[in-house]
Amino acid sequence: MLNDGPLTVRALLRAFRWRIALTWMLILFEVALTALVPLFIGFAIDGLLASDTQALFQLIAVLAVLIVVSVIRRAYDTRVFGTVRVEMGKTQAARAANLPVSTLNARLGMGRELADFLEADLPLAMTSLVQLIISVIVLYTFDPVLALAGASAVATMLAIYSLSHGRFYRLNGQLNQQTERQVGILETRKPQSLSTHLTRLRRIEVRISDTESIVYGAIFVVLLGLVVFNLWYATANLTITSGTIFSIVTYSWELVDAALAFPMALQGWSRLSEIMKRINHAVPSDLSKPQADQ
């Protein structure tokens, strides 16, 4: 099903466009319903306080539809992306018949990450974008200042991540190169070589984790500041009901939750960019040359 071109995310989207389009449509419908739930909860609170149950039944209807769509979408996802992984593996094996087994084994695992990105990371970014848009629109209807605060927080978050993109790409390249050596090292049956290999993997993984911790810590501080500011501004400057307060706080937190998904997707793309370059390169890297610790 895949043509003779490079194995990339775009190639997979082209080969499986209709199947993937359907699952993404279900995802967007699901996230749109999910994003509306806090608003309907706020309406239900105000309605029940006024002894009106109409909004409550509307909330129940939305939740019922959400459950049905979620179940159908998850069952369909598994089948679609399972097929993508099978075709990806078959194509890689056919094109890389002359590669050492160690390299081919590692790259088959890396190739599956393209399907993982399409199944998890990219839909996460899409759903987060929908949540962000809905959250900003709803906050704007309450007060433009609330929406402006949310947009400013997201812009700051993206700026923080952009500073770490190069480091994520470089560290993932080191991790993938070391992984390609693994089968060859195991075949030597030398405990010292295996210990050195595993130690290098651990050291690179620690560097990636430390970078993630710093980036996500900085982003989380910005986004929590948004929630605190919006809560303070709403209670100090607006005349609103209990249900509206709930909706403002909830949508501010929804914006935080959605915004945090973007760095995850961007980090996944950083790793995937290195993987696509690697698996489309017919000649393996010099696996016999020890990788210097950094």
Side-chain angles (χ1 to χ4, degrees), residues 222-271:
V222 173
L223 296 177
L224 285 179
L226 164 67
V227 175
V228 172
F229 171 82
N230 278 1
L231 178 60
W232 167 80
Y233 183 86
T235 55
N237 297 279
L238 304 178
T239 303
I240 45 182
T241 65
S242 299
T244 303
I245 283 285
F246 172 84
S247 293
I248 288 174
V249 173
T250 302
Y251 275 103
S252 296
W253 185 254
E254 285 283 334
L255 193 149
V256 169
D257 189 48
L260 284 174
F262 273 105
M264 295 172 63
L266 292 172
Q267 184 183 341
W269 181 253
S270 297
R271 174 168 172 75

Side-chain angles (χ1 to χ4, degrees), residues 132 152-162 215 219 222-223 256 258-263 266:
L132 279 172
S152 299
V154 172
T156 303
M157 173 208 70
L158 293 175
I160 291 172
Y161 180 81
S162 67
V215 170
I219 289 173
V222 173
L223 296 177
V256 169
L260 284 174
F262 273 105
L266 292 172

Side-chain angles (χ1 to χ4, degrees), residues 35 43 61 90 104 116 144 168 193 203 211 234 239 246 258 269 273 278 282:
F43 291 155
K90 287 163 57 179
L104 178 57
D116 293 342
F168 277 127
S193 296
R203 187 174 292 118
T211 304
T239 303
F246 172 84
W269 181 253
S273 298
R278 184 176 296 269

Side-chain angles (χ1 to χ4, degrees), residues 263-285:
M264 295 172 63
L266 292 172
Q267 184 183 341
W269 181 253
S270 297
R271 174 168 172 75
L272 208 64
S273 298
E274 203 283 333
I275 286 175
M276 287 189 291
K277 179 180 178 182
R278 184 176 296 269
I279 66 177
N280 287 294
H281 194 256
V283 180
S285 54

Side-chain angles (χ1 to χ4, degrees), residues 16-28 73 76-77 80:
F16 300 94
R17 54 187 175 277
W18 300 118
R19 303 182 197 184
I20 293 176
L22 178 56
T23 188
W24 283 0
M25 286 176 59
L26 291 172
I27 288 172
L28 291 175
R73 195 268 299 175
Y76 182 68
D77 270 5
V80 170

Side-chain angles (χ1 to χ4, degrees), residues 98-146:
N98 295 326
L99 287 179
V101 173
S102 174
T103 304
L104 178 57
N105 176 70
R107 292 189 183 183
L108 283 174
M110 294 175 196
R112 291 176 63 87
E113 294 193 30
L114 273 70
D116 293 342
F117 182 81
L118 289 174
E119 182 179 14
D121 293 349
L122 195 52
L124 179 63
M126 292 166 51
T127 58
S128 297
L129 180 60
V130 173
Q131 287 180 324
L132 279 172
I133 292 173
I134 292 177
S135 296
V136 169
I137 290 174
V138 172
L139 290 174
Y140 185 86
T141 62
F142 293 129
D143 192 287
V145 173
L146 301 175

